[in-house]
Amino acid sequence: MTPRPPSSGPDPKQTAEKTAEEQTPAKAKATARKAAAGKKTAAAKKTAAVKKTAAVKTTAAETTAAVKKAAAKKTPPVKKPPAAKKTAPAEKTDVAQKTTAAKKTAAVKKTAAVKTTTAETTTAVKKAAAKKTAPAEKPPAAKKAVTKKAVASKAAATKTVTSKAAATKTAATKTVAKKAATTKPAATKTVAKKTVAKKTVAKKTVAKDTVPRQGSARKRIPAQQQAEAPVSPALSPVDRDLLLAGTHHDPHAVLGAHPVPGGVAVRVFRPYALGVTVVAGELRTELHDDGGGFFSGLLPLREVPEYRLLVTYEGAVQETEDAYRFLPTLGELDLYLIGEGRHEQLWQALGAHPMTHQGVTGTRFAVWAPNARGVRVAGTFNFWDGTGFPMRSLGSSGVWELFVPGVGEGELYKFDITRPDGSRTLRADPLARRTQVPPETSSIVTASHHEWGDAQWLSRRSEAPAHEAPLSVYEVHLPSWRPGLTYRELAEQLPAYVKDLGFTHVELMPVAEHPFGGSWGYQVTGFYAPTARLGTPDDFKYLVDKLHQAGIGVLMDWVPAHFPRDDWALAEFDGRPLYEHADPLRAAHPDWGTLEFDFGRREVRNFLVANAVYWCEEFHIDGLRVDAVASMLYLDYSREPGRWTPNEHGGRENLDAVAFLQEMNATVYRRVPGVVTIAEESTAWDGVTRATHHKGPSGFGGLGFGLKWNMGWMHDSLQYLGHDPIHRKYHHGEMTFSMVYAYSENYVLPISHDEVVHGKKSLVSKMPGDWWQQRAQHRAYLGYMWAHPGKQLLFMGQEFAQGAEWSEERGPDWWLLDPGYGAEPDHRGVLDLVRDLNTVYRDTPALWRRDAHPAGFEWVVGDAAEDNVFAFLRLDEDGAPLLSVTNFSPVVRPDYRLGVPADVPAWHEVLNTDAARYGGSGVTRPDPVKPEPQPWHGRPSSIRLTLPPLSTVWLRPA
């Protein structure tokens, strides 16, 4: 804090000189002799005081002696010194002596040897003050003033009382002499106006530049021996205006307790308060009401004490800590990492965190808002009025911070931001870890108390990389899977259901908080908070924990591409583009009406990278499926010519987004072993799942993802199945083309939510034919999908052939599985098939071990377009095969010959989608099939099978 200028009151030196002139001749003569002696001694020792501390001691001692002698000649002392009245000449002399002695005491304070001299000087001052007689009729008033300010009989305390009684209560003390007649003294409110007027006259008298009669031989007291005059504790008008406007960058420098000349200044800003009292041990000091919610006072102490505030409101008194007495809760390392964009645990630095700071419990609030003129925190703890809670700006980091004592979990809050143009906006915390239930938008102070029980799961999840392990994913929209269930209620049903069906993982559609339920979570406003629609963050942890304990991994959709324009969230957060790109053409997403992140800004990139780490570390998420990667990678994505700007090389690639995705993947894989990142990327971008340090033909390093959604396979295969079987021979290549690029990336084969909404129909309803044929093709397609190289993903409701499209309001049609429903066996059969597909899949390494390696796949027949038949082998690392044969025609094909490896003595049917238990026609082969030595399809042996209609058959060596 910068000290305020000293009071413009009387100069102690001039007062002493004028007093000497006005004394009686005899006293004046004696005083002159003493003063001359003192001057000579001071003059002789002035230079020596600079060089040697001993000289300073001598000067102080001699000065003390002079003061004692002068005091001895005064009238007998009264019981208590009047701190207010100063009109008599003798009183003026005493004031001068007291002030001079105090200053000289301060000047030599740094030397240990001076302590004795200072004590003597202080004693002399007390004795001199005790001998005042003029105001003997008003000792009660003086006593009251001294008692009110809790003054002990110390020199510093006496000086404080005297100064405050003489000075007037005002924000600026430059014109004390002029204002004293009209303003109440700070030392006491009971001093009469008449006394103030007398003080004013006295001040005017001593303020004159009087030349002493013996001034030709007089020397000024060295500056280091003069104590600084007490300052007014009140805030300056400039600071008041900044605090009231919410634009003060360092409120802690002016509010709270600060050592100043004359004591400790305490300043408090409490709008609506009627009074404020400082309590420091046994000391209780009522602060002066400066108006506008500001209170100030000067404590007669040498050091800042531990203290509390008693704040009086209408009808209530609140005892509280002062938020402005605390040091910053963020260290230099945190600020450095934030500034560099490398704080990988950003959520631990920013946001709201209940904590104990300097022995006091409360909550730390911190937010990044570099363009803000000021930031205040508002919430339920201050009745949503942040006026009295300004935050401080921590250097050039753009971070604003405030520790608020007494605030704990469950309190609602937002940041009250003053924009560069002076307007204000109330914003939710970008790093809030808990939010209100939409449509409410406040952030909530929270702390986690969940105790994890998934250590066994975590210890083994990194045993094999995802592309070399079984991965069968059930995609879930939590709010609609069982509408009305909370996270904890879902934890009692979802793990059991998924485990029964044999899926290895669930993929949760975006869990992060989003204001519009119809967005399914893909327009996020609370990137660090699980949606409050289903419970608290700990409730969500409970669900993840239960899934892990059931042996089920948890993937989560993550949306770093864009965010909505809500004026209480991220859009122009601090009054200017901050999280979004400054170029409107780059910021606006043309398809969704949202804003794209500025991936080139290191703090924004840090916000997103840390967010990815946050979900994996804090919620034990096993993988992130990154949404809309293609929209991030291309500058011209959905943009017409002239509506986008090429990169520095003249290309269409978004180099900032590339760098962000590489950093995100590298950081997540480094910090959280065993997780997997999955890209929803629909183009032919080279190296999506290649390591970031391996450059490809395009010159870019890989993006570093573990897996990529095979959108091409999904579109092509669904398009093929959409044709009537009689026409499928003309589209045969749509099913075989996927194997041309199957090993360019590590793929997931997705039948996701996007394919069963908005008029696209559910999976079974996409199939041509009657209800039996639709179900048969649905089953055959699932069998083909599970056998195809790549991991599998199936959206909820498709596991039992729901005929209707998915609706986020209704969820799956569970009633189709009700035994009382007539067609329940049709849907139950598909559900049973999915269970068996997953069981065989997990038990057959050939179906997953070499998904990303060409040696794991061999065509048997891929050109049987006329027959609508596809047959291929899947092989594990030891060469153990599984034969998959799919007939997408509605006719039975008996004695269908297929070439097979010669070293397999017999083949056994392990799965047939046409089995009667699944709702099929029952064309199965329970007995093993032995190969014949007849070459076929380029192989030395062959087998003959009866292919069921619209079916997939799996065979393994018997």
Side-chain angles (χ1 to χ4, degrees), residues 739 742-743 787-790 844-859 872-883 939:
M739 292 311 302
Y743 303 105
H788 191 283
T844 308
L847 290 173
W848 46 264
R849 180 77 73 188
R850 308 180 87 180
D851 271 333
H853 199 285
F857 177 90
E858 293 179 6
W859 277 114
F872 52 82
L873 290 170
R874 296 297 310 278
L875 306 165
D876 65 15
E877 66 273 22
D878 298 324
L882 179 138
L883 175 62
R939 299 179 183 275

Side-chain angles (χ1 to χ4, degrees), residues 27 31 141 179 248 350 358 373 546 593 673 691 701 794 851 855 880 882 924 946 953:
K27 289 184 179 180
T31 305
K179 296 183 179 180
H248 205 300
L350 300 182
Q358 295 178 218
R373 290 178 58 189
K546 287 297 185 181
L794 188 66
D851 271 333
L882 179 138
T924 61
T946 298
V953 179

Side-chain angles (χ1 to χ4, degrees), residues 352-356 362-364 403 407-409 433 445-447:
H353 292 268
M355 62 189 306
T356 299
T363 295
R364 178 194 68 205
F403 175 74
V407 172
E409 295 181 51
R433 291 170 292 120
V445 177
T446 188

Side-chain angles (χ1 to χ4, degrees), residues 658-941:
V658 172
F660 156 67
L661 291 171
Q662 291 175 326
E663 180 183 347
M664 180 276 296
N665 281 310
T667 304
V668 168
Y669 278 111
R670 171 172 52 82
R671 291 188 62 97
V672 197
V675 301
V676 60
T677 58
I678 306 169
E680 186 215 11
E681 205 284 314
S682 56
T683 73
W685 183 279
D686 176 55
V688 173
T689 58
R690 190 170 61 239
T692 57
H693 58 283
H694 289 168
K695 290 188 176 181
S698 62
F700 290 106
L703 296 182
F705 285 95
L707 298 168
K708 172 184 174 177
W709 273 21
N710 195 336
M711 309 293 282
W713 172 88
M714 181 267 296
H715 286 296
D716 289 345
S717 61
L718 291 180
Q719 185 171 324
Y720 173 85
L721 287 170
H723 297 297
D724 190 276
I726 197 172
H727 302 299
R728 285 176 179 166
K729 62 182 178 181
Y730 304 109
H731 303 276
H732 196 79
E734 293 173 356
M735 292 293 278
T736 59
F737 180 66
S738 61
M739 292 311 302
V740 174
Y741 59 86
Y743 303 105
S744 60
E745 304 281 3
N746 303 329
Y747 283 114
V748 174
L749 311 179
I751 301 298
S752 72
H753 63 277
D754 278 328
E755 311 315 314
V756 295
V757 290
H758 298 325
K760 295 180 181 179
K761 303 179 181 180
S762 68
L763 181 59
V764 70
S765 297
K766 294 176 188 291
M767 309 299 173
D770 57 26
W771 174 234
W772 189 95
Q773 291 179 326
Q774 285 180 315
R775 289 185 293 113
Q777 290 172 93
H778 181 99
R779 296 192 305 268
Y781 181 67
L782 293 179
Y784 176 83
M785 171 183 173
W786 255 249
H788 191 283
K791 311 307 179 181
Q792 298 78 39
L793 179 142
L794 188 66
F795 183 61
M796 64 183 194
Q798 314 315 302
E799 75 274 18
F800 56 83
Q802 174 177 310
E805 285 187 349
W806 168 63
S807 167
E808 77 277 0
E809 297 178 353
R810 186 180 66 248
D813 292 336
W814 297 108
W815 55 271
L816 296 174
L817 298 174
D818 188 335
Y821 175 59
E824 180 265 344
D826 297 345
H827 301 280
R828 181 72 62 181
V830 177
L831 190 72
D832 291 340
L833 171 66
V834 170
R835 181 187 298 107
D836 291 348
L837 284 171
N838 281 322
T839 300
V840 177
Y841 169 77
R842 297 180 74 162
D843 293 341
T844 308
L847 290 173
W848 46 264
R849 180 77 73 188
R850 308 180 87 180
D851 271 333
H853 199 285
F857 177 90
E858 293 179 6
W859 277 114
V860 173
V861 54
D863 57 357
E866 292 290 336
D867 301 331
N868 296 347
V869 171
F870 304 88
F872 52 82
L873 290 170
R874 296 297 310 278
L875 306 165
D876 65 15
E877 66 273 22
D878 298 324
L882 179 138
L883 175 62
S884 175
V885 184
T886 300
N887 175 21
F888 279 124
S889 64
V891 297
V892 177
R893 299 191 180 278
D895 294 329
Y896 199 87
R897 188 174 292 275
L898 297 168
V900 294
D903 57 347
V904 177
W907 295 85
H908 175 68
E909 187 177 280
V910 293
L911 187 140
N912 187 328
T913 66
D914 191 52
R917 62 187 298 262
Y918 303 141
S921 59
V923 179
T924 61
R925 178 96 180 229
D927 300 327
V929 181
K930 294 184 178 180
E932 300 174 1
Q934 181 174 351
W936 205 260
H937 295 140
R939 299 179 183 275
S941 302

